[in-house]
Amino acid sequence: MHYLFIAIALYAFWLLLSGHYVALLLALGGLSVLIVVFFLLRMDRVDGEPSTLRPSLKFFRYIGWLLWQVVLSNIALARRVWDPALPIRPTWGKLDTKLPLPLEKALYANSITLTPGTLTTDVRDDHLMIHCLSPEELEELRKGEMERRIKDIGV
Amino acid sequence: MLTAAIVAILVTMVLALIRAFLGPTEYDRMLAANSFGTKTVLLIALGGYALSWNSFLDVALLYAMVNFVGTIAVMRFFEYSTPVEPSEEGEQTS
Amino acid sequence: MSSIISHLIEWVSGFFLLAGGFLCISGGVGLLRMPDFFSRIHASGMTETLAAPMLLCGLMLQMEWSLDLVKVLMILIFILATNPTATHSMAKAALHGGLRPLVKEPGDDEKGEVSSKT
């Protein structure tokens, strides 16, 4: 069932990219989708548990919030770059996290990296290493709003 | 507006090239190269539309993918060229 | 009525293109001005996370409705999805390679390299 969904999504992707609807190209597309799904089956056997993020309403709400945060921090960073004094104080520190699942942790680390001004350099069991341009940003992350929102998605 | 954006992209490409030449470490050069690659994708997308090329977006999409894979590949090479274990780092600011 | 809408779309598209170009240049300037590698990553991230989507959105608003529009959207999603991975791989490679972030203490005047362990 899961693989059928992936196959349909891949075929839609192929149709979108090619834009030609003749029999030969459609058959070639079907063949390559089959090959990809076959490889995916073999890879899942190596990987163990295929954990997926279901596209739900909550997930898209989180993405929207994240993009808004990205816009805000971009504006703040652009202001700092053009400031003649260059008011930055690079900080490197620990950020404790209580997210249990690897998928949630990966989402958290990626969200932090996507926001300019903060950068994940390492992910461990119970904490992340964060490099950021000023200690205030680390404090902001420690308040844990982003973590709470990721928990709310409920992977 | 399209022309202004293309000029801005070109200026940024020049800045990234300067960083790639100055660079003190190889990581700086790779960062500049990655940034340059993203700018190339944008330049192909905007410039192709402005000059009305055929199927320029396929080229841009492919370039984005090659840029990503290339960055990962080079960085894996750098990462394992020196056998250093990552150390447990403590708090470094007051 | 439709001319008003098309004018509005043109204005919004122009704003997106100009703002994206400005952010692009600020990212380049930041790439030159920042003191060490790890802070340069932030400047480079600025051009990729907001400048690229803005420029592509401006482009999307100018194009007429076709398959190409979806392709531009796909490039946008691809850039946004791969940027954290590429950035993280660079930062991790630099840490493995022995490069340590420059950390400026609040009381310091000169830039001091602080490395707890190497």
Side-chain angles (χ1 to χ4, degrees):
Chain A
M1 189 56 219
H2 178 56
Y3 294 104
L4 193 67
F5 180 71
I6 289 178
I8 291 172
L10 280 174
Y11 203 65
F13 185 63
W14 168 281
L15 286 182
L16 196 66
L17 282 187
S18 89
H20 295 279
Y21 305 105
V22 288
L24 175 68
L25 284 175
L26 291 182
L28 283 177
L31 192 65
S32 39
V33 166
L34 281 183
I35 292 175
V36 169
V37 171
F38 173 67
F39 279 147
L40 203 63
L41 274 167
R42 286 178 64 90
M43 280 170 84
D44 276 350
R45 214 174 291 160
V46 176
D47 195 32
E49 39 166 341
S51 56
T52 50
L53 202 58
R54 303 222 173 276
S56 62
L57 191 66
K58 275 180 178 170
F59 179 65
F60 285 114
R61 199 190 297 153
Y62 174 71
I63 293 289
W65 178 79
L66 181 65
L67 287 181
W68 177 240
Q69 291 302 112
V70 167
V71 170
L72 286 184
S73 55
N74 260 301
I75 293 169
L77 188 57
R79 195 177 290 153
R80 264 190 226 172
V81 164
W82 287 103
D83 196 318
L86 200 64
I88 61 166
R89 233 164 61 210
T91 311
W92 193 31
K94 255 191 202 173
L95 175 69
D96 291 325
T97 174
K98 290 187 212 57
L99 295 173
L101 295 174
L103 191 61
E104 284 178 331
K105 231 177 280 178
L107 189 62
Y108 191 32
N110 270 338
S111 307
I112 289 174
T113 310
L114 193 61
T115 324
T118 49
L119 167 72
T120 317
T121 57
D122 214 342
V123 182
R124 293 296 168 82
D125 283 339
D126 62 340
H127 67 270
L128 314 170
M129 296 301 298
I130 307 287
H131 181 270
C132 54
L133 278 182
S134 67
E136 290 84 27
E137 279 155 342
L138 194 55
E139 287 305 316
E140 191 69 33
L141 279 175
R142 283 204 176 119
K143 282 182 197 159
E145 190 182 359
M146 189 183 269
E147 192 178 7
R148 190 175 52 74
R149 279 176 189 265
I150 287 176
K151 230 182 184 46
D152 278 350
I153 298 175
V155 179
Chain B
M1 294 299 161
L2 214 53
T3 323
I6 289 173
V7 170
I9 293 172
L10 286 173
V11 169
T12 317
M13 283 168 102
V14 171
L15 293 175
L17 266 189
I18 294 173
R19 175 46 74 196
F21 275 118
L22 284 180
T25 61
E26 61 261 48
Y27 307 107
D28 286 300
R29 292 179 214 276
M30 198 57 216
L31 178 67
N34 183 30
S35 195
F36 191 82
T38 317
K39 296 296 101 54
T40 314
V41 175
L42 292 176
L43 187 66
I44 293 172
L46 292 181
Y49 179 73
L51 300 176
S52 60
W53 290 346
N54 290 323
S55 61
F56 57 100
L57 284 173
D58 299 299
V59 180
L61 191 57
L62 194 65
Y63 202 98
M65 291 182 181
V66 169
N67 182 34
F68 171 62
V69 175
T71 307
I72 296 286
V74 174
M75 279 307 155
R76 293 301 268 192
F77 172 68
F78 280 149
E79 190 173 343
Y80 293 110
S81 56
T82 45
V84 180
E85 269 296 298
S87 53
E88 205 60 47
E89 300 291 345
E91 192 78 352
Q92 293 216 342
T93 62
S94 58
Chain C
M1 189 61 201
S2 74
S3 92
I4 294 175
I5 291 180
S6 72
H7 263 92
L8 196 67
I9 287 180
E10 207 159 287
W11 275 96
V12 173
S13 150
F15 167 74
F16 269 28
L17 285 175
L18 283 186
F22 174 73
L23 277 170
C24 217
I25 293 182
S26 352
V29 170
L31 205 58
L32 283 183
R33 285 193 72 193
M34 291 293 182
D36 81 319
F37 170 71
F38 289 91
S39 26
R40 274 174 211 140
I41 289 183
H42 297 299
S44 156
M46 183 163 66
T47 68
E48 285 176 23
T49 53
L50 194 59
M54 274 199 147
L55 287 173
L56 290 179
C57 279
L59 180 64
M60 259 159 52
L61 287 174
Q62 289 210 355
M63 292 170 116
E64 61 257 47
W65 178 255
S66 68
L67 208 60
D68 280 357
L69 205 79
V70 190
K71 277 185 194 169
V72 177
L73 189 65
M74 212 174 287
I75 294 176
L76 203 165
I77 293 174
F78 189 80
I79 288 180
L80 276 184
T82 56
N83 172 51
T85 315
T87 309
H88 174 73
S89 88
M90 276 189 276
K92 203 169 180 199
L95 277 179
H96 270 251
L99 205 65
R100 286 289 172 268
L102 187 74
V103 176
K104 212 187 241 181
E105 297 295 333
D108 275 3
D109 278 330
E110 78 269 28
K111 298 161 188 166
E113 186 95 12
V114 180
S115 56
S116 60
K117 287 175 217 165
T118 37

